[in-house]
Amino acid sequence: MQINKIKATNIELTDAIRSYVEEKFLSLAPFTTNWEPVASCDIEVGKETEHHNKGPYYLCEVNMEIPGDLIRIEAREEDLYAAIDSAKDTLKERLVKAKEKMIDRR
């Protein structure tokens, strides 16, 4: 699995955020072994808007291309790192489901 692009919206993309995103999403590489080397994803993290002060306004969006499918995940939380974790967990579930579907087709 490769990460094509990490984009930040309405926040600065620091090295800490970049490394956290890479660590979390590259840990899903074992779930994409059936689609290597073509499994790739684009990740966007940041604030939804500049004017909110409370509520789930941090977001993490993931667009992952696997052969025959595009997986799109959105997670909104009150903390940026919680949004990243939530998106990773949802992506893991979707990858497992896609892998099972591929095995059933065979």
Side-chain angles (χ1 to χ4, degrees):
M1 181 174 121
Q2 69 182 31
I3 298 175
N4 291 338
K5 179 174 57 173
I6 300 174
K7 178 183 172 188
T9 304
N10 295 326
I11 61 170
E12 181 183 346
L13 185 62
T14 63
D15 290 336
I17 295 171
R18 178 181 293 279
S19 65
Y20 189 79
V21 168
E22 289 174 350
E23 173 189 334
K24 290 297 179 178
F25 286 98
L26 290 178
S27 70
L28 298 178
F31 296 99
T32 62
T33 55
N34 294 334
W35 301 293
E36 290 298 337
V38 292
S40 63
C41 66
D42 298 326
I43 303 168
E44 180 179 351
V45 295
K47 284 185 177 181
E48 192 168 4
T49 62
E50 284 288 329
H51 64 277
H52 284 100
N53 290 326
K54 56 185 172 181
Y57 61 91
Y58 284 103
L59 67 99
C60 180
E61 294 181 3
V62 180
N63 292 317
M64 181 172 204
E65 288 187 51
I66 57 175
D69 201 6
L70 173 70
I71 299 174
R72 186 170 194 293
I73 306 292
E74 283 187 22
R76 288 178 171 77
E77 298 288 338
E78 293 183 13
D79 179 44
L80 178 62
Y81 293 103
I84 293 167
D85 290 341
S86 177
K88 182 200 75 116
D89 294 340
T90 306
L91 181 61
K92 179 180 175 184
E93 292 172 9
R94 296 278 301 271
L95 286 172
V96 168
K97 190 181 289 188
K99 186 175 181 179
E100 290 173 354
K101 189 175 179 181
M102 183 184 70
I103 290 171
D104 288 346
R105 285 184 193 160
R106 290 183 187 170

mmCIF file of all heavy atoms in Angstrom, residues 23 51 72-73 84 94:
data_model
loop_
_atom_site.group_PDB
_atom_site.id
_atom_site.type_symbol
_atom_site.label_atom_id
_atom_site.label_comp_id
_atom_site.label_asym_id
_atom_site.label_seq_id
_atom_site.Cartn_x
_atom_site.Cartn_y
_atom_site.Cartn_z
ATOM 1 N N GLU A 23 1.910 6.410 10.034
ATOM 2 C CA GLU A 23 2.006 5.253 10.936
ATOM 3 C C GLU A 23 0.685 4.497 10.989
ATOM 4 O O GLU A 23 0.653 3.268 10.895
ATOM 5 C CB GLU A 23 2.398 5.730 12.329
ATOM 6 C CG GLU A 23 2.379 4.657 13.393
ATOM 7 C CD GLU A 23 2.555 5.230 14.795
ATOM 8 O OE1 GLU A 23 3.148 6.312 14.938
ATOM 9 O OE2 GLU A 23 2.095 4.582 15.733
ATOM 10 N N HIS A 51 -14.758 28.693 11.678
ATOM 11 C CA HIS A 51 -15.516 29.439 12.674
ATOM 12 C C HIS A 51 -16.154 28.603 13.780
ATOM 13 O O HIS A 51 -16.713 29.156 14.704
ATOM 14 C CB HIS A 51 -16.592 30.290 11.977
ATOM 15 C CG HIS A 51 -17.635 29.479 11.273
ATOM 16 N ND1 HIS A 51 -17.448 28.976 10.004
ATOM 17 C CD2 HIS A 51 -18.863 29.081 11.659
ATOM 18 C CE1 HIS A 51 -18.514 28.312 9.641
ATOM 19 N NE2 HIS A 51 -19.388 28.362 10.626
ATOM 20 N N ARG A 72 -14.159 5.173 -0.025
ATOM 21 C CA ARG A 72 -14.125 6.548 0.468
ATOM 22 C C ARG A 72 -14.624 6.561 1.903
ATOM 23 O O ARG A 72 -15.717 6.079 2.196
ATOM 24 C CB ARG A 72 -15.003 7.444 -0.391
ATOM 25 C CG ARG A 72 -14.902 8.894 -0.016
ATOM 26 C CD ARG A 72 -15.599 9.773 -1.041
ATOM 27 N NE ARG A 72 -15.253 11.160 -0.913
ATOM 28 C CZ ARG A 72 -15.565 11.943 0.099
ATOM 29 N NH1 ARG A 72 -16.217 11.453 1.119
ATOM 30 N NH2 ARG A 72 -15.221 13.212 0.120
ATOM 31 N N ILE A 73 -13.810 7.119 2.788
ATOM 32 C CA ILE A 73 -14.120 7.162 4.215
ATOM 33 C C ILE A 73 -14.092 8.618 4.681
ATOM 34 O O ILE A 73 -13.185 9.367 4.312
ATOM 35 C CB ILE A 73 -13.078 6.368 5.040
ATOM 36 C CG1 ILE A 73 -12.926 4.938 4.526
ATOM 37 C CG2 ILE A 73 -13.388 6.407 6.513
ATOM 38 C CD1 ILE A 73 -14.110 4.065 4.735
ATOM 39 N N ILE A 84 -8.541 10.674 12.872
ATOM 40 C CA ILE A 84 -7.628 9.821 12.115
ATOM 41 C C ILE A 84 -7.806 8.363 12.535
ATOM 42 O O ILE A 84 -7.879 7.462 11.700
ATOM 43 C CB ILE A 84 -6.169 10.283 12.303
ATOM 44 C CG1 ILE A 84 -5.966 11.660 11.665
ATOM 45 C CG2 ILE A 84 -5.187 9.271 11.719
ATOM 46 C CD1 ILE A 84 -4.670 12.340 12.044
ATOM 47 N N ARG A 94 -13.673 -1.912 6.005
ATOM 48 C CA ARG A 94 -14.036 -1.938 4.582
ATOM 49 C C ARG A 94 -13.055 -2.791 3.778
ATOM 50 O O ARG A 94 -13.455 -3.472 2.834
ATOM 51 C CB ARG A 94 -14.076 -0.519 4.025
ATOM 52 C CG ARG A 94 -15.135 0.385 4.627
ATOM 53 C CD ARG A 94 -16.512 0.203 4.020
ATOM 54 N NE ARG A 94 -16.548 0.456 2.609
ATOM 55 C CZ ARG A 94 -16.778 1.639 2.041
ATOM 56 N NH1 ARG A 94 -16.966 2.699 2.788
ATOM 57 N NH2 ARG A 94 -16.806 1.746 0.736
#
